[in-house]
Amino acid sequence: MRLPGRLAAAIDVLTDVEQRKRPVSEALKAWGLNNRFAGAGDRAAIGNLVYDALRRRASHAFAMGSDSPRALVLAVALRDWGETPDSLAEAFAGDNHAPDPLSPQEQAGATADLAAAPPAIRADIPEWLAPSLERAFGSDWVAEGQAMAGRPSLDLRVNALKAAPEKVLKSLARFSPQPTAIAPFGVTMPAGPRDARTPNVTTDEGYLKGWFEVQDQGSQVVSALANAREGEQVLDLCAGAGGKTLALAANMGNSGQIFAYDSDRARLAPIYDRLKRNGVRNAQVRAPHPGALDDLAGKMDRVVVDAPCTGTGTWRRRPDTKWKLTPDLVAQRQAEQAALLVEAAHYLKPGGTLAYITCSILPEENDDQVAAFLAAHPDFSSLDMAGAWRSALITDLPEGLGTPGGGLCLTPRRTNTDGFYIHLLRKGG
């Protein structure tokens, strides 16, 4: 497929997303099944167009004077991919699969200046979230939003139980991988421009042998900061598919014991095969049922709460969720987080550590939750996050990551990672 056909296909996919209110991944899969002539490169290019349109939906709509699927996709071509009205006119000419020619308004959108646009438009976020981001990032909040609208890298965590970073770098040399800047066992492949394809590393021999896992560098960093140590008893209370459980097991050198639990049996299902492939021997999966964790009460050295959240830190990867988020959903997640913090405290022994983690950048889910918990639990106190960083990552804490409430917040702009929050709390006694 040539560019005109790819643009037309992206418009169709985005129209399907908006009309049927379904996830982008499902709409792209459906398009691929219905258009089997399209090769892998075509599907990747169409996916990039759709995701890029959603990442900068607000600013592209402002520039084009419309938020229609056509306007958004053409804005990507003109404002992100380096095309011009003249180059598109030439490409569209005589192509039966091309969209209709650009209107004068669409041509003007190619060079529209956003300087006068409202801050939320320039930040590419829903307007109602502007106060939250400003509270989180101060005068930098627009720049933080803009960074959250970029493409993410593909990050891997080398499994120290089976391999060294050098071994994985060699295995994936065809993809030009690089060591990550912060995570000591991280490997990254930066996102490419335009129609660049994301490497399919899960078919690599190293992945099949358990040498590495796909995991954003930010997730690796907060897993390291949880600082699970050899010989400890650790509860991963919201284990999900097991990404952080695997990282904790590697940090512990397969010693001690990790209890991996999740209240959703379906989310937990992939963990079994992942543990086996990674060679993890110190993890015990606890399926959800009444009393599943009763025997752990008051015995854990460390409880990790990777709390369900709005996922605002993953907007680069799931930009459609940015525009579906509502105040009601934020409130629902806050209630779940507060309950999980209380539950986690129940399992800690005196002197134990609670690691509270979210993939959110909203203070309502981060500092506010910890402050409310500490107010209700005076036997808990915050740990020094700079000291925790030095202990876990053997470097000094970079400037600007600390939050007013004593936690840490990683973001694409600050750390070139997804957005993550972590706060460590010590139980007295």
Side-chain angles (χ1 to χ4, degrees), residues 248-328:
L248 295 171
N251 288 346
M252 296 168 70
N254 246 343
S255 70
Q257 186 74 52
I258 303 173
F259 300 92
Y261 173 85
D262 198 281
S263 60
D264 187 325
R265 193 179 296 270
R267 278 200 303 262
L268 199 59
I271 196 173
Y272 299 95
D273 287 340
R274 297 181 77 186
L275 291 171
K276 183 177 180 181
R277 189 178 66 248
N278 278 258
V280 173
R281 300 188 303 274
N282 68 330
Q284 181 183 132
V285 181
R286 294 285 182 95
H289 62 79
L293 302 176
D294 285 355
D295 61 316
L296 307 184
K299 297 179 181 178
M300 296 294 99
D301 296 293
R302 205 168 297 267
V303 177
V304 178
V305 179
D306 184 11
C309 66
T310 56
T312 51
T314 64
W315 278 343
R316 297 185 304 169
R317 302 179 193 279
R318 301 180 61 200
D320 50 331
T321 64
K322 174 163 46 173
W323 310 108
K324 295 176 182 178
L325 187 59
T326 65
D328 285 346

Side-chain angles (χ1 to χ4, degrees), residues 23-258:
V24 175
S25 57
E26 288 184 14
L28 286 167
K29 182 178 180 180
W31 186 91
L33 291 173
N34 293 329
N35 297 273
R36 295 183 183 275
F37 63 87
D42 295 322
R43 294 194 300 274
I46 294 163
N48 284 350
L49 285 166
V50 171
Y51 278 106
D52 283 352
L54 291 170
R55 288 182 179 110
R56 295 192 169 96
R57 178 174 187 158
S59 61
H60 283 334
F62 184 90
M64 302 295 283
S66 169
D67 65 352
S68 70
R70 172 186 165 91
L72 296 177
V73 171
L74 290 177
V76 172
L78 293 166
R79 299 180 65 85
D80 295 342
W81 286 31
E83 297 293 333
T84 66
D86 288 343
S87 69
L88 289 186
E90 182 178 350
F92 288 7
D95 192 313
N96 294 331
H97 302 289
D100 291 337
L102 271 65
S103 68
Q105 183 181 31
E106 290 168 342
Q107 294 179 39
T111 56
D113 186 2
L114 299 182
I121 297 293
R122 289 185 281 117
D124 269 299
I125 65 165
E127 186 175 0
W128 67 272
L129 280 174
S132 291
L133 264 68
E134 186 170 11
R135 187 155 71 93
F137 304 117
S139 60
D140 293 332
W141 74 272
V142 171
E144 292 284 352
Q146 290 170 341
M148 198 70 74
R151 287 187 185 179
S153 58
L154 174 64
D155 295 347
L156 315 174
R157 180 187 57 81
V158 177
N159 177 17
L161 300 176
K162 285 193 170 185
E166 294 75 20
K167 188 174 185 178
V168 172
L169 290 168
K170 182 177 180 180
S171 176
L172 298 174
R174 63 193 182 280
F175 299 129
S176 302
Q178 308 165 17
T180 50
I182 302 173
F185 289 91
V187 171
T188 186
M189 283 149 277
R194 291 180 59 108
D195 57 357
R197 295 170 60 182
T198 301
N200 183 11
V201 297
T202 57
T203 60
D204 184 78
E205 174 192 27
Y207 178 81
L208 300 175
K209 290 184 175 181
W211 295 354
F212 62 85
E213 285 287 324
V214 177
Q215 186 177 23
D216 178 75
Q217 183 186 193
S219 181
Q220 296 178 48
V221 170
V222 295
S223 297
L225 288 170
N227 208 17
R229 299 171 183 174
E230 295 182 6
E232 286 188 338
Q233 300 292 299
V234 178
L235 171 60
D236 188 354
L237 189 57
C238 306
K244 291 185 177 63
T245 300
L246 299 173
L248 295 171
N251 288 346
M252 296 168 70
N254 246 343
S255 70
Q257 186 74 52
I258 303 173

Side-chain angles (χ1 to χ4, degrees), residues 331-369:
Q332 177 184 333
R333 292 292 180 257
Q334 286 178 289
E336 294 168 350
Q337 293 154 2
L340 279 166
L341 280 167
V342 173
E343 183 181 358
H346 174 67
Y347 300 111
L348 276 173
K349 70 181 185 182
T353 300
L354 194 166
Y356 177 68
I357 298 168
T358 73
C359 55
S360 173
I361 57 173
L362 304 182
E364 292 87 346
E365 299 184 272
N366 298 336
D367 274 356
D368 290 0
Q369 289 287 20

